[in-house]
């Protein structure tokens, strides 16, 4: 009987460890950007384990400027990450932030800022400021802006709008950085 009990205890312990590990993974995967710690680069090299067959995976800094975004001063907009980087002439990001795109989005490519407006009424009826336009899709202007009330809500998917909303603070930085003719690179 002792052997049967120890097997049950071992199985229950393994199941508990697996459950805790799964819950820890879920919790870490759902941490908001503003609460997660930025990974620190390692200063020491370590030898691969497991007989040297597998190379250790290099973790990509999620805030790093996308490698496929060109060179020089530019605004980089990553569609999949819903993130923008303001990149200086040396290729260093002076600022990065999350954005909320509308239903109509730009296709990946390189553009230039075509026009700007200090304050206007958004397609959704919300007063917006610091509008920086860089292209259009099917006669819908695509550009960055900030809602004057500070909102960044998920837009109505049925509205034919091309605004890429950001916080007012990020809108101020975009307005200063992205003058007419500034390069805008959209990546997947």
């Amino acid at each position: 009987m002792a052997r049967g009990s120890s097997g049950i205890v071992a199985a229950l312990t393994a199941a508990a460890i697996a459950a805790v590990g799964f819950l820890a993974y879920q919790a870490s995967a759902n941490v908001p950007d503003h609460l997660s710690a930025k990974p620190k680069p390692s200063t020491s090299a370590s030898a691969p384990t497991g007989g040297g067959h597998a190379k250790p995976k290099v973790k990509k800094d999620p805030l790093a400027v996308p490698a496929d975004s060109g060179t020089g001063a530019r605004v980089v907009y990553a569609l999949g990450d819903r993130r923008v980087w303001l990149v200086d002439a040396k290729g260093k990001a002076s600022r990065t932030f999350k954005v909320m795109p509308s239903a109509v989005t730009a296709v990946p490519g390189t553009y230039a800022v075509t026009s700007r407006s200090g304050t206007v009424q958004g397609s959704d009826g919300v007063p917006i400021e610091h509008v920086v336009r860089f292209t259009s899709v099917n006669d819908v202007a695509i550009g960055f802006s900030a809602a004057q009330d500070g909102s960044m809500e998920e837009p109505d998917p049925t509205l034919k709008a091309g605004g890429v909303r950001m916080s007012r603070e990020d809108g101020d930085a975009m307005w200063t950085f992205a003058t007419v003719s500034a390069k805008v690179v959209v990546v997947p």
Side-chain angles (χ1 to χ4, degrees):
M1 177 123 170
R3 283 186 180 179
S5 297
S6 63
I8 292 172
V9 170
L12 288 174
T13 301
I17 290 171
V20 169
F22 175 74
L23 292 173
Y25 168 76
Q26 276 191 320
S28 69
N30 292 312
V31 174
D33 285 346
H34 68 281
L35 295 178
S36 62
K38 190 173 180 179
K40 295 180 183 175
S42 175
T43 56
S44 64
S46 60
T49 58
H53 297 289
K55 288 185 178 180
K57 287 187 178 182
V58 178
K59 287 191 176 184
K60 180 186 163 210
D61 180 355
L63 302 180
V65 178
D68 57 349
S69 67
T71 59
R74 64 201 183 277
V75 174
V76 178
Y77 173 30
L79 297 170
D81 290 337
R82 293 183 172 187
R83 180 169 289 282
V84 167
W85 292 261
L86 305 180
V87 183
D88 66 21
K90 294 179 182 176
K92 183 175 171 30
S94 60
R95 187 182 193 100
T96 184
F97 47 89
K98 287 291 214 176
V99 295
M100 179 60 68
S102 294
V104 181
T105 61
V107 296
T110 301
Y111 305 90
V113 174
T114 55
S115 68
R116 299 172 8 128
S117 298
T119 58
V120 295
Q121 188 81 0
S123 303
D124 56 0
V126 174
I128 56 176
E129 64 186 7
H130 297 149
V131 181
V132 176
R133 295 175 201 87
F134 60 92
T135 192
S136 65
V137 174
N138 297 325
D139 297 323
V140 175
I142 308 293
F144 303 107
S145 64
Q148 289 180 1
D149 66 4
S151 65
M152 281 184 50
E153 297 161 8
E154 189 85 30
D156 180 349
T158 64
L159 247 164
K160 283 181 57 174
V164 181
R165 293 278 167 84
M166 58 195 66
S167 73
R168 292 186 82 183
E169 183 179 288
D170 294 330
D172 290 344
M174 175 68 77
W175 183 256
T176 301
F177 187 87
T179 57
V180 172
S181 299
K183 185 171 24 172
V184 177
V185 180
V186 178
V187 296

